[in-house]
Amino acid sequence: MFLNDILQILKEKSNNKAYTVNNESYSYKQLYKYVCNIYHFLLKENINKKPIIVYGNKEIYMKATFIACSLAGMTYIPIDESTPKERVNEIIKQVNPDLSIGINVSKEKINEIMNNENLIEINDIYLKSNDIYYIIFTSGSTGIPKGVKVTYKNLDSCIRWLKNIVTINKGVIVNQANFSFDLSVADLYLSLITQSEHFIINNDTILDFNKIFEQLRQSNANLIVSTPSFIDLLLIDKSFDSKLMPNLKTILFCGEKLLKSTVNKLYSRFDNIQLINCYGPTECTFAVTNYYLNKNINYNENEIPVGIPKPDVKIYILDKNNNPVADEHIGEILITGESVADGYLGNIQNNSFIQYNGKKAYLTGDLGYIKNGNLYYIARKDKQIKYKGYRIELTDIENNLQALEYIDKAVVIAKTNKENKVLNIIAFVILKENIIKNELDIIKDLQKKIPKYMCPKIKIINSFPLNKNGKCDEKKLLEEF
Ligand code: AMP
């Protein structure tokens, strides 16, 4: 399985760059040293083999710890340090770890451990194929984040498939997403398995165009793994073109709808660029379909396919009674096969991981259809959205607002444009009687509970307009905003 290949690559101890962050590069040889040291530390300290929280941002110890955990047969849980403390504590409560790297083993301590010069090689890989490789927490509709358990077998299948759909060997792969999002799984492991350099665009840089473009230029990258939102952000600046990135061959998109406008701009700025649209939820290990865009096809706005399933996955389109519909008919996308994760951590009630035709399946909540073998994504059927590439349950925000003791009711709505792209998230709130609070007070309190990217615009109102059924009329609310 792929950890054998990765260990083999690390053991070659090459001086090629393995990881670059903040103008600092680390070779494969250095990475191997860090992994060895952390691996032996974990085997000694994590005797009960409980899952390990790995807290931080894009520091080298994050990647080294992920690899060390896996080789040592331990599940890791990445948490980005931008996550509010209350949410981190909620995750810790659910996981109940003995070791949290970056928390009860401080960053200084882990850096000290990994820099030990007495190299003890790694000879054994302890992770078994059905073991949980990682747990990634994602927005949960109840207001509490839910952990998706992905097995070694799931990830092995994903990485082998990815390696086949891109053509890169000893190149440079740009990372955009934080390691706590499953988008990053693609660049984390593709870079290792293809012996490439993993080039990090740092979070601090994400809002500073000059710095981003300087980093992109320096990266000399061949492949970017990104959400369409991030590429759209880069495209705002005219200098995002083949002069800036002459070796850029491929952009691998995943996570949200790829729009024709993005594709057209990329084709006009980069000659011969290969664009790949991938689709899939965290619950199915990064992605399950891929589609190579064709420069000569003039796509309709809603007709960019997400593509064909990976070979060990089967996709069904189901009607309301979970019966398959005919081709070109819209229904809910159901995924079966090797990518379907083990489920959620704990006893989270869900109707998503189900049995279908005697097989484990994931009912996505996505609406789509199949035409000429290609899957097309249409929209969500629930209150989950993508905003700037982030997966957000609107009821997660609602429940966290309602948990503030001075809020009586909250309704959270996503404002979209005609392409169904979310422009804004707006929370309409009614305060309890005799409470004096303004929008800023609410935002400050909310930011203690949910990540910044989930925080909506707040509008305090006195009552909700009701529709014929006596429910809150969301359309009317938006009109009034
Ligand atoms: P995440 O778990 O963050 O990867 O989000 C998964 C959800 O993102 C899916 O269920 C879809 O709703 C959406 N999604 C992922 N990839 C695509 C894509 N290529 N086109 C449209 N929506 C996508």
Side-chain angles (χ1 to χ4, degrees):
M1 294 182 62
F2 86 96
L3 277 176
N4 293 294
D5 300 345
I6 287 178
L7 185 58
Q8 214 50 50
I9 290 165
L10 290 172
K11 281 186 165 213
E12 284 172 19
K13 299 176 198 159
S14 97
N15 287 317
N16 294 343
K17 288 179 186 172
Y19 195 74
T20 297
V21 60
N22 278 337
N23 294 325
E24 198 150 350
S25 295
Y26 303 88
S27 67
Y28 272 87
K29 188 176 170 184
Q30 278 170 302
L31 180 61
Y32 180 53
K33 180 179 86 176
Y34 302 154
V35 170
C36 286
N37 285 328
I38 300 172
Y39 168 92
H40 292 295
F41 166 77
L42 294 178
L43 286 178
K44 208 166 107 220
E45 295 294 325
N46 195 32
I47 317 161
N48 297 325
K49 293 221 162 192
K50 278 205 198 161
I52 291 174
I53 284 180
V54 191
Y55 177 84
N57 181 232
K58 308 263 182 110
E59 300 91 337
I60 178 73
Y61 78 79
M62 296 287 286
K63 185 161 180 171
T65 308
F66 299 158
I67 306 168
C69 282
S70 316
L71 295 171
M74 298 165 195
T75 304
Y76 70 82
I77 297 130
I79 306 183
D80 190 77
E81 62 192 14
S82 62
T83 313
K85 233 194 185 136
E86 278 191 32
R87 209 149 165 111
V88 174
N89 288 340
E90 175 52 46
I91 295 174
I92 292 177
K93 200 168 100 192
Q94 286 189 44
V95 176
N96 188 24
D98 284 343
L99 276 191
S100 296
I101 306 295
I103 302 178
N104 69 2
V105 180
S106 68
K107 285 188 184 185
E108 292 74 29
K109 179 77 187 158
I110 196 71
N111 277 311
E112 188 190 309
I113 291 164
M114 69 186 202
N115 276 299
N116 181 354
E117 292 302 333
N118 297 328
L119 187 83
I120 308 172
E121 301 257 354
I122 296 176
N123 296 317
D124 298 301
I125 300 175
Y126 290 101
L127 204 71
K128 311 247 172 11
S129 69
N130 287 321
D131 288 347
I132 306 302
Y133 197 100
Y134 60 72
I135 301 173
I136 281 187
F137 275 81
T138 182
S139 179
S141 53
T142 56
I144 294 170
K146 55 184 183 204
V148 181
K149 295 187 289 179
V150 170
T151 66
Y152 182 16
K153 220 159 121 184
N154 291 148
L155 189 63
D156 186 67
S157 152
C158 171
I159 302 307
R160 290 186 189 286
W161 166 71
L162 276 176
K163 195 181 168 196
N164 275 332
I165 64 172
V166 296
T167 41
I168 183 165
N169 185 33
K170 296 189 176 169
V172 183
I173 301 178
V174 166
N175 152 280
Q176 171 235 322
N178 282 341
F179 296 145
S180 50
F181 297 118
D182 91 324
L183 181 68
S184 69
V185 165
D187 45 81
L188 258 168
Y189 292 102
L190 254 186
S191 54
L192 286 169
I193 204 87
T194 63
Q195 302 181 57
S196 298
E197 177 186 351
H198 195 196
F199 193 99
I200 306 301
I201 300 290
N202 207 288
N203 246 3
D204 308 340
T205 323
I206 282 201
L207 294 173
D208 184 336
F209 272 80
N210 287 338
K211 276 199 195 155
I212 296 182
F213 282 89
E214 187 45 31
Q215 287 201 29
L216 289 175
R217 193 186 57 73
Q218 280 174 7
S219 74
N220 218 4
N222 315 108
L223 170 67
I224 303 182
V225 178
S226 178
T227 56
S229 286
F230 181 65
I231 296 294
D232 280 342
L233 204 69
L234 299 179
L235 283 166
I236 295 173
D237 194 303
K238 293 270 182 302
S239 58
F240 181 59
D241 63 9
S242 52
K243 275 196 229 89
L244 182 81
M245 302 192 73
N247 288 317
L248 185 64
K249 298 267 173 339
T250 307
I251 303 179
L252 189 86
F253 287 105
C254 194
E256 58 185 338
K257 205 161 188 169
L258 178 61
L259 298 179
K260 188 178 160 177
S261 52
T262 311
V263 171
N264 286 348
K265 277 187 206 152
L266 285 170
Y267 280 142
S268 71
R269 308 252 191 112
F270 295 86
D271 297 329
N272 302 322
I273 190 140
Q274 181 188 49
L275 305 178
I276 309 175
N277 192 14
C278 290
Y279 156 87
T282 305
E283 287 84 343
C284 293
T285 323
F286 172 66
V288 289
T289 68
N290 70 295
Y291 177 80
Y292 296 99
L293 279 103
N294 182 336
K295 201 174 179 172
N296 301 318
I297 296 180
N298 188 14
Y299 297 97
N300 291 328
E301 194 50 82
N302 282 319
E303 286 265 310
I304 298 181
V306 295
I308 52 166
K310 59 200 271 280
D312 54 9
V313 151
K314 199 162 164 35
I315 288 179
Y316 299 86
I317 306 291
L318 304 182
D319 66 14
K320 286 198 175 86
N321 301 316
N322 283 0
N323 292 318
V325 299
D327 270 14
E328 298 187 36
H329 282 70
I330 295 173
E332 184 168 355
I333 302 171
L334 176 109
I335 301 168
T336 65
E338 288 298 313
S339 294
V340 181
D342 198 56
Y344 296 116
L345 184 69
N347 297 320
I348 290 179
Q349 286 267 318
N350 81 89
N351 305 318
S352 312
F353 286 102
I354 59 169
Q355 287 288 318
Y356 193 76
N357 291 345
K359 283 197 193 118
K360 189 161 193 193
Y362 180 70
L363 204 49
T364 58
D366 291 327
L367 297 174
Y369 62 94
I370 292 175
K371 188 173 153 188
N372 300 329
N374 275 316
L375 179 67
Y376 291 74
Y377 168 92
I378 304 270
R380 291 289 303 175
K381 55 174 262 193
D382 55 12
K383 289 191 88 177
Q384 182 184 301
I385 58 155
K386 279 292 167 111
Y387 180 50
K388 298 183 178 167
Y390 295 110
R391 169 171 163 178
I392 300 169
E393 294 280 356
L394 294 177
T395 51
D396 191 349
I397 308 173
E398 252 166 39
N399 284 316
N400 275 290
L401 275 168
Q402 264 156 198
L404 296 173
E405 71 284 356
Y406 52 82
I407 286 183
D408 187 22
K409 277 191 196 118
V411 169
V412 178
I413 305 175
K415 195 172 182 176
T416 53
N417 67 6
K418 62 178 190 314
E419 290 156 333
N420 226 1
K421 194 179 159 105
V422 176
L423 303 174
N424 266 317
I425 309 174
I426 305 156
F428 296 89
V429 299
I430 301 178
L431 298 177
K432 286 190 180 152
E433 248 175 79
N434 301 325
I435 294 282
I436 302 172
K437 291 270 178 192
N438 63 28
E439 278 83 359
L440 215 71
D441 299 329
I442 300 176
I443 283 291
K444 267 197 209 146
D445 288 338
L446 194 60
Q447 279 185 359
K448 291 182 196 147
K449 293 167 157 290
I450 59 173
K452 259 197 184 137
Y453 65 80
M454 281 174 69
C455 281
K457 290 201 163 126
I458 305 280
K459 182 137 174 79
I460 300 172
I461 54 174
N462 294 322
S463 62
F464 294 132
L466 299 181
N467 61 20
K468 275 188 277 176
N469 303 326
K471 287 188 178 160
C472 170
D473 190 333
E474 299 193 352
K475 242 188 184 165
K476 231 183 197 151
L477 260 183
L478 269 184
E479 280 163 17
E480 284 173 16
F481 183 68

